[in-house]
Every structure is written in C-alpha cells, then in structure tokens.
C-alpha cells in the first residue's frame, strides 16, 4: 500500500474504545451521548467507530458533513449543531434533529418540513453565560410558546453549550439552571422534553463531582472521544487513548547549525516584527531538522512533539525542529500528536492524506480532496 506524506494516521479501534469507555461512564447516571464528528469532517468511518462504541446520535456543526454521513448510510440519528436560515431545505433533507435559537429559522424549517412531508425535531439552545448560541433564560418560555405553534416542528428538548467562546465552566449552578428551566417548560406547556443536553467535553469535571444531574440526560462529546481528554483543564481522562491521531511528516533537511539567526533582523514571513518576536535562545551549535510541513498544511501550534523533540517554529511550508537528541536522516518520518486545533486543521487540509492504521482492520486510504498531491515514490 502506498504511504503518503504528510499524513494523519487514525486508529478507529482506539476511537471506538474511547467512545465505549465514555458511554459506560456517562450512562451510569443516565446520560446518553451524541458523538460529535465536526473535527473530523464527518468522516463516516469515524462516525461508525463512535456508533460501535455506543453513542446514540452523531452530531456535526456542518450540513455538508451531515450530508456526507447520510450518503454513507450512517445508522445513528444525525444531529445538526448549527442551523443557518439559508440551509433550511438541506437541513430538512439530511438531518433528523437540529439545534436552534431563532423563531425565523424554525419557521423556514417548518416550511420545508411540510414540503418534504416530514416532522423535523429540534432542540432549543439556552444561553447560560458562555455567550455563544442560546435563547436568554428569561425569554425561553415565550420562545417555546411561539415555537410550539409552528407546524411540522417538534421540540424534543433543550440544551446549552459552555466553555467555547466565553470559557465558562459547566458548574452545579448553571447545570441546575438548565434542569430548572426544563421543569418550568415541561410544567408550563404540559410536554415532556426527552433530551436535556447539558454540554460537551467540558462537562467531565461537573459530571464526576458529587452533585446530581437533575434533568440532564445527554451530552454532545467530540474532543473526549477523539483525543481522550476533557476540555476544562485539557487533562487526559483515565482509561482513554490520547494518541488515536498521529501526524506523520518527512524530514527534508538535517544539519548542525547555530541556534541564533545571524545578520540584521527584519519581519518574519508573517509580519512579526523583531521586537514582538519570541526571544530566540542561544544554545550554541545544535542539530536541527526541517520537516515538509508548514502553516499552509496545518495549525503548527497544534502539533505536540513526542519524546524530546522541540518545535522551534514554522513558516508556510517548513517546520524547524531542534533534533539534538535524535539522529534523523533525510527521508525519515517524524510523528506528532495533535491538540484540537491541530486535529481540526489536519483533517481539513487538502495536503494531508488521511489513513486508517488499525492492524486488525484492512488499511483503507481515504481519498484526500487534494487535486495536486503527489504520491510518494515507491
Ligand atoms: C463542537 C460542539 C460540541 C462538541 O464539543 P467538544 O468539546 O468537542 O466535545 C458540542 N456541542 C456543540 C453545540 C458544538 O458546537
């Protein structure tokens, strides 16, 4: 099989195992999981791994990714996390459930739901302090009152999202607020909200503390399944794999060089002027390596080097490493772990090929969208 460089190696068995551990953990207190696939562009093989691990729904923020998974025949319910007015028709066609915060959007969804003879299910998001999406709590009852009058739309739950924009932590206080709002809405309209979705990978600490869940019975989990960590402190979750994704790139230069640039300093390639540039330390002559990977390929700050390899910096096409503790030859491969930004950018990059590596499965190449990527010489 041809190996491409740079590539991202993906272990489906580790992703499945992570989903399984998390489903077991959260189901102990009655919480079901949506597996969130947006960081991997709705890659159907990864969605399937999450489903084998036990997630009940697959959720994604992009309608294109939902369409991709629908076309691939993904068996779980597909949930759209971000609904745009202009995409209402596609949402009705492809998503089973969508998250919403605007009456006008619900009306447009209703229009197409009627046209397609469907009932579209929605979860109404409530603002609990992070200041991204959500109906203000004081407006929720009136919002639901209006939304209940819209035909072909069924409100199946409410939810909230934290720790994304404002960096607000899920706490016993805001979770109790969501729980209380659920009761208020259920009592006011005599309905049952079957999904109360309390958040994302940032809810781990809240879940593990002693307070009760109240009415919260669902979480939408991406990063914990994919990278094995929670997202309040970015600590690994016990029992999870944290290296299911590895970025592999090729060494194209390996030389001893001084560690301080010489000559007169000016701006770098991205306009950073010398007095704002990070101080470069003089460590004398060092072994340095360059890999064929740069900022056009990936968010290079999202690379996490394994064993004593220091990333010194990167430009559009080159990343420079202090490789004093290694003896790289030209053509060698170097592996990195990824943080969320690194994963997102690697999966989105047309220059990085996606490759599944599980030994127990046939290795499968995922065609990259790159039209101009050259296969490595056999
Ligand atoms: C991205 C997203 C998630 C998943 O977040 P993770 O931190 O990856 O678990 C959940 N809900 C919404 C609305 C999102 O946009």
């Amino acid at each position: 099989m041809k190996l491409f460089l740079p590539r991202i190696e993906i272990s489906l068995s580790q992703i499945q195992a992570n989903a399984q551990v998390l489903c077991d953990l959260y189901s102990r207190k009655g919480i079901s999981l949506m597996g969130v696939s947006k960081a991997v562009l709705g890659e159907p093989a990864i969605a399937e791994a999450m489903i084998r691990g036990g997630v009940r729904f697959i959720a994604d923020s992009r309608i294109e990714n939902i369409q991709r998974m629908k076309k691939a025949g993904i068996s779980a319910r597909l949930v759209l996390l971000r609904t745009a007015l202009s995409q209402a028709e596609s949402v009705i066609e492809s998503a089973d459930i969508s998250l919403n915060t605007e009456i006008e959007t619900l009306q447009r969804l209703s229009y197409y739901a009627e046209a397609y003879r469907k009932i579209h299910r929605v979860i109404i998001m409530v603002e609990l302090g992070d200041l991204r999406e959500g109906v203000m709590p004081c407006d929720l009852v009136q919002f639901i009152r209006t939304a209940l009058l819209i035909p072909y739309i069924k409100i199946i739950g409410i939810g909230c999202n934290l720790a994304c924009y404002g960096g607000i932590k899920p706490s016993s206080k805001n979770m109790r607020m969501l729980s209380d709002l659920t009761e208020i809405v259920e009592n006011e309209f005599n309905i049952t909200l079957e999904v109360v979705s309390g958040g994302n990978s940032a809810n781990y600490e809240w879940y593990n503390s002693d307070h009760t869940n109240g009415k919260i019975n669902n979480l939408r989990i991406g990063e914990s399944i994919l990278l094995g960590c929670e997202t309040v402190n970015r600590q690994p979750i016990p029992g999870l794999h944290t290296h299911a994704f590895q970025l592999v790139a090729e060494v194209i230069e390996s030389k001893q060089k001084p560690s301080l640039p010489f000559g007169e300093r000016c701006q770098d390639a991205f306009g950073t002027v010398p007095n704002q540039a990070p101080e470069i330390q003089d460590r004398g002559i060092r072994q340095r390596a360059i890999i064929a990977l740069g900022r056009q390929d990936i968010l290079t700050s999202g690379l996490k080097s394994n064993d004593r390899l220091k990333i010194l910096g990167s430009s559009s096409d080159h990343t420079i490493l202090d490789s004093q503790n290694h003896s790289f030859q030209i053509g060698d491969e170097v592996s990195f772990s990824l943080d969320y930004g690194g994963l997102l950018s690697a999966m989105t990059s047309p220059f990085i090929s996606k490759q599944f590596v599980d030994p127990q499965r046939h290795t499968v190449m995922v065609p990259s969208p790159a039209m101009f990527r050259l296969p490595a010489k056999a």
Side-chain angles (χ1 to χ4, degrees):
M1 193 204 52
K2 273 205 179 89
L3 291 177
F4 292 85
L5 285 163
R7 65 176 177 271
I8 183 166
E9 295 184 345
I10 307 166
S11 167
L12 293 172
S13 64
Q14 293 187 5
I15 294 167
Q16 175 181 339
N18 282 359
Q20 208 152 2
V21 169
L22 290 168
C23 284
D24 289 350
L25 172 76
Y26 284 114
S27 71
R28 260 176 246 150
K29 290 199 228 162
I31 289 187
S32 69
L33 296 190
M34 297 184 181
V36 176
S37 56
K38 68 192 182 204
V40 295
L41 271 65
E43 167 55 51
I46 295 177
E48 296 281 12
M50 291 180 174
I51 293 166
R52 285 195 300 276
V55 307
R56 301 243 320 268
F57 314 78
I58 295 289
D60 203 291
S61 50
R62 308 275 166 161
I63 189 67
E64 295 86 347
N65 296 344
I66 295 279
Q67 288 167 332
R68 182 181 180 198
M69 291 187 282
K70 170 134 179 143
K71 211 167 147 207
I74 294 299
S75 51
R77 295 253 135 145
L78 295 174
V79 182
L80 182 66
L81 296 172
R82 186 194 70 179
T83 311
L85 191 66
S86 66
Q87 295 175 338
E89 184 170 5
S90 311
V91 177
I92 296 301
E93 272 186 294
S94 302
D96 299 300
I97 300 167
S98 62
L99 272 44
N100 284 277
T101 60
E102 292 287 354
I103 293 292
E104 199 180 339
T105 307
L106 292 176
Q107 286 165 338
R108 187 75 66 90
L109 290 169
S110 166
Y111 172 86
Y112 286 108
E114 180 177 16
Y116 283 82
R117 297 170 184 278
K118 287 184 175 178
I119 302 289
H120 183 69
R121 292 172 162 71
V122 298
I123 294 171
I124 306 303
M125 296 299 277
V126 186
E127 175 60 64
L128 289 181
D130 199 54
L131 295 184
R132 206 180 70 181
E133 73 274 38
V135 177
M136 286 299 286
C138 58
D139 300 328
L140 185 66
V141 167
Q142 186 52 45
F143 184 97
I144 302 265
R145 191 185 310 284
T146 311
L148 283 170
L149 297 173
I150 303 174
Y152 306 102
I153 294 291
K154 181 171 164 57
I155 300 173
I156 62 160
I158 65 174
C160 75
N161 194 64
L162 295 168
C164 272
Y165 170 72
I168 297 301
K169 236 177 159 172
S171 64
S172 56
K173 197 167 167 205
N174 49 35
M175 290 298 108
R176 184 158 358 96
M177 177 89 167
L178 185 65
S179 210
D180 290 349
L181 287 167
T182 306
E183 278 180 13
I184 290 170
V185 167
E186 288 188 330
N187 293 339
E188 177 76 21
F189 302 107
N190 198 22
I191 56 175
T192 307
L193 296 175
E194 56 181 277
V195 181
V196 183
S197 191
N200 52 38
S201 297
N203 283 58
Y204 178 76
E205 208 177 71
W206 160 77
Y207 179 80
N208 274 330
S209 58
D210 284 338
H211 358 96
T212 102
N213 299 341
K215 305 273 289 181
I216 292 158
N217 64 9
N218 178 266
L219 292 172
R220 311 170 306 274
I221 304 284
E223 186 163 342
S224 294
I225 297 178
L226 299 169
L227 297 179
C229 62
E230 49 80 41
T231 56
V232 166
N233 304 302
R234 290 251 154 40
Q235 290 303 308
I237 293 175
L240 297 194
H241 299 280
T242 53
H243 302 289
F245 295 85
Q246 290 283 294
L247 196 284
V248 186
E250 179 183 359
V251 174
I252 57 169
E253 182 185 298
S254 176
K255 290 186 194 307
Q256 300 237 317
K257 291 190 187 184
S259 37
L260 272 188
F262 42 93
E264 212 179 313
R265 287 193 86 181
C266 64
Q267 297 183 3
D268 71 10
F270 292 89
T272 310
V273 293
N275 61 3
Q276 284 166 6
E279 192 78 34
I280 299 179
Q281 229 189 331
D282 188 358
R283 308 176 71 199
I285 303 284
R286 304 282 291 181
Q287 186 69 33
R288 294 158 72 96
I290 297 177
I291 51 171
L293 184 81
R295 294 205 217 173
Q296 191 163 41
D297 304 289
I298 192 174
L299 182 73
T300 46
S301 60
L303 293 170
K304 300 199 283 187
S305 60
N306 307 324
D307 50 50
R308 299 197 303 157
L309 186 63
K310 189 166 157 42
I311 300 168
L312 296 171
S314 54
S315 58
S316 331
D317 317 298
H318 300 78
T319 293
I320 304 142
L321 309 172
D322 182 311
S323 56
Q324 187 76 14
N325 303 309
H326 297 254
S327 50
F328 288 133
Q329 308 288 308
I330 304 311
D332 278 357
E333 295 185 349
V334 189
S335 292
F336 300 87
S337 293
L338 298 164
D339 70 11
Y340 191 74
L343 175 64
L344 192 68
S345 60
M347 291 302 294
T348 313
S349 173
F351 295 105
I352 295 176
S353 66
K354 286 72 184 177
Q355 198 150 16
F356 300 118
V357 291
D358 288 313
Q360 68 272 43
R361 292 171 58 86
H362 293 295
T363 312
V364 188
M365 278 295 302
V366 184
S368 155
M371 285 152 286
F372 29 77
R373 193 171 33 66
L374 299 170
K377 285 261 158 37

